[in-house]
Amino acid sequence: MAITSANQLELLQTAEAVAREKMIDPALVIEAMEESLARAAKSRYGSEMDIRVSIDRKTGRATFTRVRTVVEDDAVENYQAQLTVEQARQYMDNPQVGDEIVDEVPPVDMGRIAAQSAKQVILQKVREAERDRQFEEFKDRKGTIINGVVKREEYGNIIVDIGRGEAILRRNEKIGRESYRPNDRIRCYIKDVRREARGPQIFLSRTDPQFMAELFKMEVPEIYDGIIEIKAVARDPGSRAKIAVISYDNSIDPVGACVGMRGSRVQAVVNELQGEKIDIIPWNQDQATFLVNALQPAEVSKVVIDEEAGKIEVVVPDEQLSLAIGRRGQNVRLASQLTGLDIDIMTEAEESERRQAEFAERTKLFMESLDLDEFFAQLLVAEGFTSLEEVAYVELDELLSIEGVDEATAEELQARARDVIEEQNRKALENARALGVEDSLIEFEGLTPQMVEALAKDGVKTLEDFATCADWELAGGWTTVNGERVKDEGLLEPFDVSLEEAQHLVMTARIQLGWVDPAELEAEAEEEGADEEEAEA
């Protein structure tokens, strides 16, 4: 096809039509046409030439030009598209490197193959423009709810028509009992929008906790207006959920507002979530109070927070235990997700037994180690002393505050405790050396001889071995296996080493070995601090 005056305007009309149909910028279609015409011209004049095409946006006239670039004498690689400064002098007065010499060339007649190639280029460009438009349209809608129509099912995944594109609802993002047929209407949460090789992918979800939060935002005007805020959400999709809310207006009850008149608001959300039972809980800044609320409908007798160990113990009446734990641990699991805390639940009888056992164990420790009678050992435990270290290194005044203890007795107690600790350290060090522990680990600051011995028994014998340990291997923690929380025993857990302390010890070892640059760590910490400040702002 030759570019003649008869079909010049057709180019512009075609570009307009395609742009309107695909809802993209006409300029993008014209650019694609220019590129396709340039490719056709190169097949006619030679692929080595730099042929460019410009279509006038008003008349549709296509101008074909050959461009040659001025380069250094020793940089000429393509004689058809490049020339030296000396060669350029015959075309211009004072040529400089980087200058371009532009000559118009005759338009080409497009053969059948060239026309087909041009069509492919245009289609490809249009597809790319469509993808960009779709990504730009939906990237800002991430985290919102969208209505769509089910198109088809592929391997358990639902393909949803969302108007100007398609989205995917993976089978693990569906609520368990749900099934859909083509043309069914569906409401989903836009979980993610990503650019991928085959175009933007829009991932939907109906199990994400934020889906429920967004549904409440649609049903409860006070949430939409910011008077009530959803602070946390935890879901067991299709079964049960907990949502924590707070009101910034004292005259508005956040729980009542979310429930609605005769439960109309919460019922609308329940219906959308296939009958999922929802507990609406008042959020509280005080951890213990919030935890008591989160464990509803169970009653809580006492909450014990061990901040150093990062543990929360909840004591409930014996008859409330099954209610607090819930079916298959559902209630306590959701409360844990909602509060972000590890929760241990025990009955009042279990707590009493445990405390008695701890009291007896510590009494026995002091009787045997410090050669005390039972009454005096019990007195120490009752005053809050739990270990030999506390007795040995506490301020003397604290021992003197115990009824019946004078200065001589207090000093004798501390001397005995220190002697026992030194003997224990000596034996632990001997055992560690016998197991083959290197001095680099023994001399590492922060590890006691007993800690070194415990590490050696597990095969950690050098500073390098220690530096490869994960923090949870040392401090212990919890993992979820098949829905059950399983305890991971840490190597240094018997010595009350917290996760933060374990992280610090391991990082210090890595710095000493030269594996980590402290300057980089500081820079990362500063970046994290700046990000947190921005998030708070």
Side-chain angles (χ1 to χ4, degrees), residues 327-365:
R327 189 180 55 172
R328 297 178 186 168
Q330 187 183 60
N331 193 51
V332 70
R333 185 172 67 250
L334 288 174
S336 181
Q337 288 175 21
L338 194 73
T339 57
L341 303 169
D342 275 338
I343 305 169
D344 290 333
I345 292 186
M346 62 181 69
T347 63
E348 290 171 345
E350 286 172 342
E351 191 216 11
S352 176
E353 281 175 24
R354 197 191 68 174
R355 296 207 177 282
Q356 286 173 8
E358 284 178 359
F359 191 88
E361 188 182 332
R362 287 169 184 167
T363 300
K364 186 180 176 185
L365 168 70

Side-chain angles (χ1 to χ4, degrees), residues 441 447-462 465-477 487-499 502 505-506:
L441 190 60
L447 295 178
T448 65
Q450 284 96 334
M451 289 180 186
V452 174
E453 182 186 15
L455 291 168
K457 286 177 180 175
D458 203 75
V460 180
K461 300 178 182 179
T462 67
D465 293 341
F466 182 73
T468 58
C469 290
D471 47 19
W472 59 267
E473 288 181 276
L474 301 176
K487 184 76 177 73
D488 290 323
E489 297 296 337
L491 297 177
L492 302 183
E493 197 169 349
F495 307 99
D496 291 330
V497 173
S498 69
L499 200 63
L505 287 170
V506 170

Side-chain angles (χ1 to χ4, degrees), residues 172-365:
N172 62 330
E173 298 289 349
K174 290 193 293 182
I175 296 172
R177 299 184 295 272
E178 289 182 326
S179 62
Y180 293 99
R181 295 176 180 171
N183 298 321
D184 282 354
R185 295 200 65 78
I186 188 171
R187 184 185 281 181
C188 298
Y189 176 76
I190 301 178
K191 191 172 184 178
D192 199 8
V193 181
R194 294 200 298 262
R195 284 189 189 272
E196 294 195 355
R198 59 189 178 192
Q201 290 291 298
I202 300 162
F203 297 95
L204 305 178
S205 175
R206 284 178 58 80
T207 60
D208 194 285
Q210 290 306 311
F211 178 47
M212 190 173 80
E214 288 295 316
L215 286 172
F216 268 105
K217 193 181 289 185
M218 292 170 71
E219 295 294 336
V220 183
E222 291 87 347
I223 295 176
Y224 184 83
D225 293 337
I227 299 168
I228 294 174
E229 183 185 352
I230 297 172
K231 298 291 282 187
V233 184
R235 285 183 69 193
D236 202 344
S239 176
R240 192 164 174 196
K242 289 180 185 282
I243 181 168
V245 291
I246 184 172
S247 172
Y248 295 113
D249 185 338
N250 294 333
S251 65
I252 295 176
D253 169 28
V255 175
C258 291
V259 171
M261 186 74 71
R262 296 181 184 174
S264 58
R265 291 174 175 178
V266 72
Q267 195 56 49
V269 177
V270 168
N271 292 342
E272 180 62 44
L273 299 177
Q274 305 295 316
E276 197 170 305
K277 290 175 184 163
I278 302 171
D279 296 336
I280 302 170
I281 292 156
W283 185 84
N284 197 295
Q285 198 166 5
D286 178 58
Q287 272 191 339
T289 307
F290 182 34
L291 185 54
V292 170
N293 294 342
L295 282 168
Q296 291 176 2
E299 295 174 10
V300 176
S301 305
K302 185 164 60 172
V303 176
V304 182
I305 300 176
D306 186 346
E307 290 183 356
E308 285 187 11
K311 292 178 183 174
I312 302 281
E313 290 179 356
V314 175
V315 181
V316 298
D318 294 22
E319 69 276 6
Q320 293 279 318
L321 180 64
S322 59
L323 190 61
I325 293 172
R327 189 180 55 172
R328 297 178 186 168
Q330 187 183 60
N331 193 51
V332 70
R333 185 172 67 250
L334 288 174
S336 181
Q337 288 175 21
L338 194 73
T339 57
L341 303 169
D342 275 338
I343 305 169
D344 290 333
I345 292 186
M346 62 181 69
T347 63
E348 290 171 345
E350 286 172 342
E351 191 216 11
S352 176
E353 281 175 24
R354 197 191 68 174
R355 296 207 177 282
Q356 286 173 8
E358 284 178 359
F359 191 88
E361 188 182 332
R362 287 169 184 167
T363 300
K364 186 180 176 185
L365 168 70

